[in-house]
């Protein structure tokens, strides 16, 4: 059985493509001994960041037309899933968040995926700072929309600030407690010092490089490559704990 991973969040700029790239790199690492092929799809109609990674074989498919899902184009995704021998990672944009989550429910896509011998896994991001409340709303919307249709993995991205409300961490918030049974895993991305680790990670992402590509880059300093290796190992350990992956 393979997993069909879809990254969904109604707020833009919170790290959906980051999650898609990290998840993809981890899956490549995890299945390096079997060389299981991945199907990688970028459906973001505005910011196709995921498909800019030259080392990742990402296909770009526009599934949104006049604020509605173009059914024929979505059919192409299902055909790709049907032909795939390994996991699928789909990065979706904020502008098509509602349309896609609605379509998944109405067309019983989870059942279609199950009939193909696969499992639907929804990834969503909670971030700190000004987007905190918006990402909480997006999380609640997607869980309410697809409760019982998929498994959910929550990524906590502290890049813009602590993920807390009234001194309470995410795990103590009402929205989490109300949906806890639907959540398979919480993945806490590490806080990075902006002058060192954070700067190196941001530079790598702006260059659309994978960890392995950046760590092997002779143009980067020895300590930059070392910090990136530490970050990679740390993130992979966190992902190891999410047994569904």
């Amino acid at each position: 059985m393979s997993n069909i991973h879809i990254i969904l969040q109604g707020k833009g700029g919170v790290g959906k493509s980051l999650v898609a790239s990290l998840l993809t790199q981890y899956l490549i690492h995890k299945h390096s001994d079997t060389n299981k092929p991945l199907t990688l799809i970028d459906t973001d109609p505005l910011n196709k960041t995921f498909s800019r990674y030259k080392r990742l074989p990402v296909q770009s498919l526009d599934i949104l037309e006049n604020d509605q899902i173009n059914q024929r184009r979505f059919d192409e995704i299902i055909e790709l899933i049907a032909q795939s021998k390994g996991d699928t990672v789909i990065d979706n944009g904020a502008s098509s968040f509602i349309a896609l989550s609605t379509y998944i429910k109405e067309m019983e896509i989870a059942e279609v995926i199950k009939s193909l011998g696969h499992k639907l896994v929804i990834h969503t991001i909670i971030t700190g700072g000004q987007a905190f409340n918006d990402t909480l709303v997006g999380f609640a919307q997607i869980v309410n929309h697809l409760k019982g249709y998929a498994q959910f993995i929550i990524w906590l991205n502290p890049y813009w600030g602590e993920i807390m409300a009234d001194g309470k961490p995410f795990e103590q918030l009402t929205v989490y407690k109300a949906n806890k049974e639907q959540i398979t895993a919480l993945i806490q991305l590490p806080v990075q010092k902006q002058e060192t680790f954070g700067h190196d990670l941001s530079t790598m992402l702006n260059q659309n490089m994978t960890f392995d590509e950046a760590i092997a880059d002779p143009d980067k300093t020895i300590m930059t490559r070392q910090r990136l290796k530490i970050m990679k190992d740390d993130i992979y350990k966190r992902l190891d704990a999410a047994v569904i992956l």
Side-chain angles (χ1 to χ4, degrees), residues 20 36 47 51 55 67 71 86 89-90 102 108 113 125 128 130-131 140 145 152 175 192-193 200 216 219 233:
K36 288 182 67 175
N47 300 305
S51 57
R55 293 295 180 91
D67 296 325
Q71 297 187 20
V89 178
I90 301 172
T102 300
E108 300 178 355
I113 289 172
I125 300 99
Q130 293 183 341
H145 229 49
F152 295 88
V175 67
Q192 309 292 356
K193 293 182 178 180
D200 295 336
D219 291 332
D233 292 344

Side-chain angles (χ1 to χ4, degrees), residues 26-210:
Y26 173 76
L27 292 172
I28 291 172
H29 162 77
K30 183 178 179 181
H31 299 300
S32 60
D33 56 336
T34 61
N35 288 321
K36 288 182 67 175
L38 294 175
T39 299
L40 309 174
I41 304 170
D42 190 344
T43 65
D44 192 329
L46 300 177
N47 300 305
K48 298 186 177 297
T49 306
F50 189 34
S51 57
R52 292 179 192 149
Y53 285 83
K54 294 180 180 179
R55 293 295 180 91
L56 303 178
V58 182
Q59 304 177 62
S60 180
L61 291 174
D62 292 328
I63 61 171
L64 196 66
E65 185 175 1
N66 298 322
D67 296 325
Q68 299 293 325
I69 296 298
N70 183 310
Q71 297 187 20
R72 297 301 177 190
R73 291 177 187 164
F74 193 86
D75 288 353
E76 293 181 42
I77 293 179
I78 298 299
E79 292 302 316
L80 288 172
I81 290 172
Q83 297 165 19
S84 175
K85 303 299 182 183
D87 287 2
T88 297
V89 178
I90 301 172
D91 184 18
N92 183 66
S95 60
S96 52
F97 168 72
I98 295 296
L100 181 56
S101 57
T102 300
Y103 189 78
I104 289 172
K105 182 177 181 180
E106 291 180 349
M107 292 292 105
E108 300 178 355
I109 298 301
E111 289 301 315
V112 174
I113 289 172
K114 184 178 179 180
S115 73
L116 295 171
H118 305 315
K119 185 185 300 179
L120 178 61
V121 184
I122 301 296
H123 298 252
T124 193
I125 300 99
I126 305 295
T127 189
Q130 293 183 341
F132 176 65
N133 288 331
D134 288 336
T135 55
L136 284 183
V137 170
F139 159 66
Q141 285 179 331
I142 193 63
V143 173
N144 290 334
H145 229 49
L146 297 175
K147 185 179 295 185
Y149 290 85
Q151 293 183 295
F152 295 88
I153 293 181
I154 310 301
W155 294 66
L156 302 177
N157 184 2
Y159 183 81
W160 290 273
E162 283 189 299
I163 302 174
M164 300 186 74
D166 299 324
K168 296 180 180 179
F170 177 71
E171 296 92 320
Q172 294 182 15
L173 300 184
T174 301
V175 67
Y176 172 74
K177 292 179 179 179
N179 297 289
K180 185 177 180 179
E181 293 183 0
Q182 310 297 320
I183 299 170
T184 302
L186 280 176
I187 298 172
Q188 171 75 59
L189 291 176
V191 177
Q192 309 292 356
K193 293 182 178 180
Q194 291 307 305
E195 65 274 16
T196 53
F197 286 89
H199 173 77
D200 295 336
L201 180 61
S202 295
T203 300
M204 183 186 82
L205 295 176
N206 289 334
Q207 293 173 334
N208 302 123
M209 299 177 77
T210 65

Side-chain angles (χ1 to χ4, degrees), residues 13-31:
V14 296
K16 289 186 292 295
S17 295
L18 169 64
V19 166
S21 67
L22 292 178
L23 176 61
T24 297
Q25 292 174 66
Y26 173 76
L27 292 172
I28 291 172
H29 162 77
K30 183 178 179 181
H31 299 300

